[in-house]
Every structure is written in structure tokens, then in C-alpha cells.
């Protein structure tokens, strides 16, 4: 348990430091404001993090009495949609911070005494890892809220690499055949990643890097947003209804395209992966390019399959945890790195940036794996299964390594654009690239 306890302590500490950065960088007015009906007030996320930690680690694992049972319903994400949360009796910022701090102090005592053998929640410190992942997921959500907020710059970070795609092939052939998808051994994997099972995919070609802003601008310049041929019917209706003609946060001014990024307005960077794209936009671009979005199975095979050993690895580069030279993760930078960056993070087949930079839309609906069992609660995954949500893979620059791995599955509605999502395209091996 010692190694797992140390890992849990490090993960919880890192998550709380990031939460503090995201909430201490703005004043109380920004914390309590709702910057978009798509998002909660930042102060709701702050207290929700503490409440989930209390419920799972103090009450369930630690067997302690409830500290604030009267606020459980206020911070129940399934009881209150984001748009209505400002009207709830939320804890004010100082009280929310104090509550989260008190919970954390008590949790550290529980962690210090925790022993294996108490069931799945305590084996390998799973519950502590689950809570750390939960907090980091809300940290990414709060980072999205920072992107949506108006006002002075609140967050800064160094620039990521700008390696570019010079010398890289535009696509990579992924061989057909079986591989192991999902996991039954990753100690902190969540229920929708389980169990490991065999899948077979036909050979296909996959983009070496995510689609860039420059490539996406070519789609726009060719009238892609106005050409119904490329769009799923509901997607075309969506962009017409909302007059969408470019990625979110882009605008044309003085003959050039600009974007707003965490309070800074800058020219659209042509060699950077395109960001803030809905599934419908990604799908339309792929059709326009004579290609398609990869399925979830194809994405995971490209990211994990080692053709030499025949085994599935934890990450494209191997089984070791992410490092700064392998992937753009953890809010270390506030933008994607240039397409083609991180050669040390490439898959055995040479595919780049499968982990970090941008979440990548896939063609797949969010469905359970064969043998799926909800754990420790249905609301994490099971209630979202079906055709309404599309799967995203790989993580973004706003995802912490604890909540990102080769088996990790994200999902969202195909209309969502505020998330840090981009995409790459694929084609069947027996097809040829066709001109538009």
C-alpha cells in the first residue's frame, strides 16, 4: 500500500494546487459569476470538489460522520444542470475554500491509515485516485470557464514547442488484425475503460498529426460551412441556426483570422492543431477531405499497439508515465504545441501527439465494453451510454496525466465547442485519397 499511498498523496496534492491556481487567480466576483450557461460558476466547482471528496473519502472510505450533509443536494451534478446552478444557495468563496481545506485535512488522515483488503475502493488506493482524477477533471472544466470569461488576463504559461511537420509523412498505415483494447490491470482506470478485451480492426491510414488550423482554414475558404454535402443533417441545421462559420473564439478582422485565447487576441496559428471544434465540424471537414473520423477502436490501436511485440502499451511511447518531453499535459502550456511536436511521445508506428494537446473526436458513440460493470456508481459512465454522446480520446493540454492514459475515454455531445477538442482523420487502407 505504501507506493499506492505515496502516489495518491502526490495526485491529491497536485490537483489541489491546480484548483488553487484556477480559483485564486480571479476575484470573488469572477468566482461567483456564471460566465456561460454551459458552465457552472467557478465557486460551484470548488465546493463540489470538496463535497465529492467528503462523500467518497471521509464518509465511504473513512466511515466518518458527514461534515455538511445539508449541501449534498446543492452540489449534486445530476440534480442541477449547469445553467441553473447560480440560483442555488452556494457557499461563498471564503466558505467554499475553508470547507474544501477542512475536508482535505481529514482525508490525509484517512489516507495515512488506509490499508488494502477493504475492497475495491481501498485496493491500490483506488478511491483516492478516483477523487484526484475527479478534481483534475473539474480543473479542466474550470480552465474552460477561464477561456469563456471576459476580462483581464488571469492565467499565463510558457509557450509550448513549435516543431512543425517538416519531414513527417502526412499519414501512417496502421496494420489490420486483433489487439487488446481497454484494461483490466491499470489500478486507477475507471469503469468505462474496463475490462480488457480483444478487438479486430481492418488496416487503415491515420493522420500523423492532428488537423491544423491552416488545413481547417482551407476547408473554410472552400465554402465548407455553406456546403450541405459535407454535413450530417443535424449538424448542418446546428450551424445554420447559430450562424456558425468558424471555430469557436475565431473572428475575421482586417483580412486575417484572429482568435481569443485566455483573454489574449492573436492571429490564428496555422501550424497548431485546430481547437474548439464540434464533432459535426470535425466530421464535415473529414468528408470534405475525402476521409473520415477514426473509430474509437482504430484510435486506440494506433495509440497502444506495438507491432513488434503484439501487445498493447499504456501509452504510445511505452508503459512509463507521461513526461514533459512526451506530451503536452497538465496546463503546463495554455495552448496546443505545434503539429508534429513531441517526437519522444510518438507511437511505434510514428503517429504523433496522440496524448495531450487536443482531445480528438472519434466516429464512435459512447458505449460499454463487453463485460462492463458500473463501479463505484452508475452515474459516472452508465447513464451516458447510447447514441447521444460521441467519444473523444487522447486528452488535451488542460488534462492532468492522472486523468489521461491510452485507455482513457472522454465523451460529450456532438454540438460541444467550448471543450479543448480537435481531431485527426483516417481512411480505409484499400481506398485512395481523392481530390474534392
Amino acid at each position: 500500500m505504501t507506493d499506492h499511498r505515496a502516489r495518491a498523496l502526490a495526485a491529491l496534492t497536485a490537483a489541489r494546487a491546480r484548483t488553487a491556481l484556477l480559483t485564486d487567480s480571479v476575484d470573488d466576483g469572477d468566482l461567483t459569476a456564471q460566465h456561460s450557461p454551459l458552465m457552472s460558476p467557478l465557486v460551484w466547482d470548488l465546493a463540489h470538489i470538496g463535497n465529492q471528496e467528503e462523500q467518497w473519502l471521509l464518509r465511504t472510505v473513512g466511515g466518518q460522520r458527514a461534515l455538511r450533509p445539508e449541501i449534498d443536494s446543492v452540489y449534486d451534478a445530476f440534480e442541477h444542470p449547469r445553467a441553473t446552478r447560480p440560483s442555488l444557495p452556494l457557499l461563498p468563496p471564503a466558505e467554499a475554500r475553508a470547507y474544501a481545506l477542512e475536508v482535505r485535512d481529514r482525508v490525509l488522515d484517512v489516507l495515512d491509515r488506509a490499508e488494502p483488503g477493504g475492497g475495491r475502493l481501498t485496493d491500490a488506493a483506488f478511491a483516492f485516485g478516483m477523487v484526484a482524477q475527479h478534481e483534475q477533471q473539474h480543473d479542466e472544466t474550470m480552465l474552460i470557464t477561464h477561456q469563456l470569461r471576459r476580462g483581464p488576463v488571469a492565467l499565463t504559461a510558457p509557450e509550448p514547442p513549435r516543431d512543425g511537420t517538416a519531414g513527417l509523412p502526412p499519414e501512417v498505415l496502421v496494420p489490420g488484425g486483433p489487439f487488446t483494447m481497454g484494461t483490466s490491470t491499470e489500478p486507477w482506470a475507471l469503469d468505462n475503460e474496463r475490462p480488457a478485451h480483444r478487438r479486430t480492426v481492418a488496416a487503415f491510414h491515420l493522420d500523423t498529426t492532428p488537423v491544423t488550423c491552416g488545413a481547417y482554414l482551407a476547408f473554410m475558404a472552400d465554402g465548407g460551412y455553406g456546403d450541405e454535402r459535407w454535413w450530417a443533417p443535424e449538424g448542418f441545421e446546428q450551424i445554420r441556426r447559430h450562424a456558425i462559420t468558424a471555430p469557436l473564439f475565431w473572428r475575421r478582422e482586417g483580412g486575417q483570422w484572429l482568435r481569443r485565447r485566455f483573454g489574449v487576441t492573436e492571429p490564428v496559428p496555422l501550424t497548431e492543431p485546430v481547437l474548439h471544434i464540434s464533432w459535426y465540424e470535425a466530421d464535415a471537414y473529414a468528408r470534405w477531405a475525402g476521409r473520415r473520423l477514426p473509430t474509437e477502436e482504430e484510435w486506440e490501436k494506433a495509440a497502444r499497439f506495438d507491432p513488434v511485440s503484439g501487445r498493447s502499451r499504456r501509452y504510445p511511447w511505452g508503459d512509463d508515465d507521461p513526461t514533459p518531453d512526451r506530451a503536452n499535459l497538465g496546463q503546463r502550456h495554455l495552448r496546443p504545441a505545434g503539429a508534429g511536436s513531441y517526437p519522444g511521445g510518438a507511437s511505434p508506428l510514428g503517429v504523433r501527439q496522440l496524448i495531450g494537446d487536443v482531445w480528438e473526436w472519434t466516429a464512435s458513440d459512447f458505449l460499454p465494453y463487453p463485460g462492463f460493470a458500473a463501479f463505484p456508481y452508475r452515474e459516472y459512465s452508465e447513464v451516458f451510454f447510447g447514441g447521444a454522446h460521441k467519444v473523444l480520446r487522447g486528452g488535451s493540454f488542460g488534462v492532468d496525466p492522472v486523468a489521461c492514459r491510452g485507455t482513457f475515454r472522454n465523451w460529450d455531445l456532438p454540438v460541444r465547442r467550448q471543450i479543448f477538442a480537435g481531431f485527426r482523420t483516417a481512411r480505409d487502407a484499400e481506398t485512395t485519397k481523392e481530390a474534392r
Side-chain angles (χ1 to χ4, degrees):
M1 182 70 178
T2 302
D3 290 344
H4 294 302
R5 183 183 289 113
R7 184 187 178 206
L9 177 60
L12 290 168
T13 301
R16 189 52 48 89
R18 185 178 176 198
T19 298
L21 172 65
L22 290 162
T23 54
D24 292 350
S25 57
V26 293
D27 60 25
D28 285 1
D30 270 332
L31 286 176
T32 57
Q34 186 172 46
H35 299 282
S36 166
L38 296 172
M39 311 304 290
S40 310
L42 291 168
V43 75
W44 185 92
D45 287 287
L46 175 59
H48 170 78
I49 286 167
N51 185 250
Q52 285 292 291
E53 188 166 328
E54 182 196 347
Q55 290 194 49
W56 284 105
L57 300 185
L58 291 189
R59 301 183 202 174
T60 304
V61 174
Q64 298 186 13
R65 63 175 180 82
L67 292 177
R68 300 288 299 268
E70 75 280 4
I71 68 172
D72 287 355
S73 63
V74 174
Y75 296 100
D76 186 332
F78 297 95
E79 187 174 339
H80 304 289
R82 289 177 176 175
T84 67
R85 290 172 188 171
S87 64
L88 298 171
L90 303 179
L91 299 182
E95 192 172 348
R97 287 191 178 98
Y99 168 62
L101 178 61
E102 181 179 7
V103 170
R104 174 55 58 86
D105 286 344
R106 293 171 181 254
V107 160
L108 295 181
D109 290 337
V110 173
L111 175 62
D112 190 53
R113 298 192 306 269
E115 296 294 340
R120 288 180 63 189
L121 281 176
T122 54
D123 284 347
F126 173 82
F128 298 92
M130 177 185 74
V131 166
Q133 290 179 81
H134 173 265
E135 181 163 355
Q136 287 286 4
Q137 288 168 332
H138 275 272
D139 287 342
E140 185 181 13
T141 297
M142 289 194 286
L143 187 62
I144 293 169
T145 302
H146 272 272
Q147 168 63 12
L148 288 162
R149 66 178 282 275
R150 298 283 183 170
V153 173
L155 300 172
T156 59
E159 290 294 292
R162 295 266 159 243
D163 287 0
T165 57
L168 291 178
E171 62 180 2
V172 169
L173 175 64
V174 180
F179 78 106
T180 299
M181 186 173 186
T183 180
S184 297
T185 58
E186 186 74 29
W188 288 359
L190 303 171
D191 60 4
N192 63 67
E193 301 171 66
R194 300 173 181 271
H197 58 287
R198 298 291 279 175
R199 292 282 182 101
T200 299
V201 298
F204 67 100
H205 294 273
L206 184 69
D207 287 340
T208 305
T209 72
V211 171
T212 64
C213 294
Y216 197 82
L217 275 168
F219 164 70
M220 294 166 57
D222 197 41
Y225 275 94
D227 194 332
E228 192 171 0
R229 288 179 298 166
W230 314 127
W231 295 83
E234 58 273 25
F236 197 65
E237 172 60 27
Q238 175 78 7
I239 65 164
R240 287 172 64 96
R241 185 186 320 124
H242 297 283
I244 294 171
T245 59
L248 188 60
F249 306 116
W250 286 28
R251 74 172 191 270
R252 190 165 179 81
E253 185 177 295
Q256 70 173 154
W257 283 98
L258 305 175
R259 73 172 182 187
R260 180 169 58 85
R261 182 181 59 83
F262 297 108
V264 175
T265 298
E266 60 191 11
V268 167
L270 301 183
T271 61
E272 193 173 288
V274 68
L275 192 62
H276 298 299
I277 291 289
S278 72
W279 183 90
Y280 290 125
E281 290 168 293
D283 179 63
Y285 173 95
R287 294 170 190 258
W288 169 83
R291 297 169 69 85
R292 59 178 175 80
L293 295 179
T295 65
E296 183 181 14
E297 294 92 336
E298 289 173 332
W299 188 97
E300 187 165 329
K301 183 165 189 181
R304 299 184 64 211
F305 181 69
D306 180 358
V308 175
S309 67
R311 63 180 289 268
S312 291
R313 314 196 301 188
R314 294 179 68 215
Y315 298 98
W317 55 83
D319 294 333
D320 294 337
D321 289 338
T323 53
D325 63 321
R326 289 171 172 153
N328 181 7
L329 294 166
Q331 201 180 310
R332 188 171 60 250
H333 309 293
L334 287 173
R335 63 196 300 164
S341 298
Y342 301 106
S347 75
L349 298 171
V351 186
R352 301 265 182 114
Q353 294 167 286
L354 285 159
I355 297 293
D357 286 306
V358 295
W359 285 107
E360 298 184 17
W361 288 109
T362 73
S364 300
D365 295 336
F366 185 47
L367 299 171
Y369 289 161
F372 167 84
F375 178 80
Y377 59 106
R378 292 184 60 248
E379 289 80 8
Y380 180 72
S381 302
E382 188 174 347
V383 297
F384 296 102
F385 289 148
H389 296 85
K390 294 294 185 181
V391 173
L392 301 105
R393 287 303 203 101
S396 74
F397 64 88
V399 174
D400 188 81
V402 76
C404 184
R405 48 195 162 263
T407 58
F408 193 92
R409 307 171 76 197
N410 190 10
W411 65 95
D412 215 325
L413 299 171
V415 299
R416 289 289 184 250
R417 308 173 79 223
Q418 81 276 15
I419 59 177
F420 301 124
F423 65 103
R424 71 180 77 215
T425 67
R427 66 182 176 95
D428 297 343
E430 63 270 17
T431 64
T432 58
K433 297 173 71 173
E434 297 178 357
R436 291 174 289 280

